[in-house]
Amino acid sequence: MDRKFRKIVLDNSDVIVQKWIDEIESLKGFNYTVSVSDELLESTNREFVNIIFSSIKDQGDTKQLKAFSEKLINLGWKVSYITDGLQVFRRVTIDFILEQSDQINTGYISQLLQSVDKWVEPLIRQLVNEYSGNWENILSLQRVALQELSAPLIPVIDNITVMPLVGTIDTERAKLIMENLLEGVMKHNSEVVLIDITGVPVVDTMVAHHIVQAAEAVRLVGSTCILVGIRPEIAQTIVNLGIDLGKFPTKSSLRKGFIKALELTNRRIVDTEKKDNAIEQMIDSLGGA
């Protein structure tokens, strides 16, 4: 019976295609085709339905469908276009075959539904897998990019690096901070690391614990950690929570922390303008003598 249904569909492909296109075009404006030109929609519809018929003719070959789905993904078409298109094809095909049948009974309808499902279901599975794989790949790339941006270690001067933190710190991110700190300290030969929490909105017990752990890990590899960006409300929270931050220096701003880092590396900031003025005054006084 499946062969009979297949023959009816393939012999009347032009009629079924037109019925399918008429219904698909009526769906324009339901999100997935709202910004698509009429020309692109028409050509895509034609390509889509031709691939469906090729799959039926080749009894489930989905090679062309794979390339088509990749094309739609790259163009940014939503998966709803494909799933809706296949559901419309299912409905149009079943209605057409029933219209061509003289005798219809429960068994005939059941066999028809099974046959059409056998044509359509592999296509749906293939397309959903393609879209799912693409989403997973994009999410994986985004996750890696966000991780790299969420805990950067920036060398600002020889032996001094800065890690600016922005946003909420959870357990997973705290682990990343620890890894980046230790790796960066060794890579940049850092003697002092400044952890800037100016952009961290809330410092609770867990966040403070993670910061202390990170600072202690840095100390164990022979470097000093300076915590900067201690706002008054954060300082009050830390005191109220009874958290001990006495093992490493803390400063209210990155500027003050950087000055402290210079002191720890036996360097200091010199005002060259004042020095030049002093030299000029000394020369002038010698000249007057």
Side-chain angles (χ1 to χ4, degrees), residues 134-266:
N134 181 70
W135 290 331
E136 289 173 1
N137 182 53
I138 291 174
L139 287 174
S140 177
L141 293 174
Q142 289 177 341
R143 189 178 297 111
V144 171
L146 286 173
Q147 286 178 344
E148 291 175 350
L149 293 173
S150 67
L153 193 66
I154 306 168
V156 292
I157 195 172
D158 288 347
N159 307 123
I160 298 177
T161 54
V162 177
M163 176 175 279
L165 299 178
V166 178
T168 303
I169 299 176
D170 55 16
T171 302
E172 183 177 350
R173 190 179 177 198
K175 180 181 177 182
L176 181 66
I177 290 170
M178 180 87 75
E179 292 174 355
N180 285 6
L181 268 175
L182 296 177
E183 182 181 342
V185 165
M186 304 305 294
K187 178 181 178 181
H188 302 297
N189 193 27
S190 301
E191 294 181 23
V192 180
V193 178
L194 297 116
I195 300 180
D196 186 3
I197 63 169
T198 304
V200 178
V202 178
V203 175
D204 55 16
T205 304
M206 185 191 74
V207 172
H209 175 69
H210 288 316
I211 292 173
V212 170
Q213 278 191 323
E216 184 65 17
V218 169
R219 187 184 67 81
L220 290 175
V221 295
S223 299
T224 301
C225 183
I226 301 177
L227 182 63
V228 302
I230 305 290
R231 304 186 300 275
E233 63 271 21
I234 290 180
Q236 185 175 0
T237 300
I238 290 174
V239 170
N240 291 337
L241 292 173
I243 298 168
D244 181 17
L245 299 180
K247 292 184 180 180
F248 55 97
T250 59
K251 296 294 179 181
S252 61
S253 66
L254 181 59
R255 178 179 177 276
K256 293 180 180 179
F258 186 68
I259 293 173
K260 180 65 176 178
L262 290 174
E263 293 176 1
L264 292 173
T265 54
N266 298 316

Side-chain angles (χ1 to χ4, degrees), residues 88-100:
V88 168
F89 178 81
R90 187 203 303 264
R91 183 172 64 253
V92 167
T93 300
I94 290 172
D95 288 346
F96 180 83
I97 293 176
L98 290 176
E99 289 172 0
Q100 306 306 307

Side-chain angles (χ1 to χ4, degrees), residues 89-147:
F89 178 81
R90 187 203 303 264
R91 183 172 64 253
V92 167
T93 300
I94 290 172
D95 288 346
F96 180 83
I97 293 176
L98 290 176
E99 289 172 0
Q100 306 306 307
S101 303
D102 296 329
Q103 296 181 347
I104 299 175
N105 53 46
T106 304
Y108 184 87
I109 295 175
S110 177
Q111 289 180 339
L112 173 59
L113 293 176
Q114 289 179 10
S115 293
V116 176
D117 284 345
K118 188 168 69 174
W119 305 337
V120 173
E121 290 301 327
L123 301 181
I124 293 178
R125 284 195 297 271
Q126 174 76 20
L127 289 165
V128 170
N129 287 338
E130 290 294 329
Y131 269 82
S132 297
N134 181 70
W135 290 331
E136 289 173 1
N137 182 53
I138 291 174
L139 287 174
S140 177
L141 293 174
Q142 289 177 341
R143 189 178 297 111
V144 171
L146 286 173
Q147 286 178 344

Side-chain angles (χ1 to χ4, degrees), residues 69-88:
S69 63
E70 290 177 352
K71 173 184 173 181
L72 292 185
I73 290 170
N74 292 331
L75 290 174
W77 286 53
K78 295 183 179 180
V79 69
S80 55
Y81 167 74
I82 292 175
T83 54
D84 288 351
L86 290 169
Q87 295 300 339
V88 168

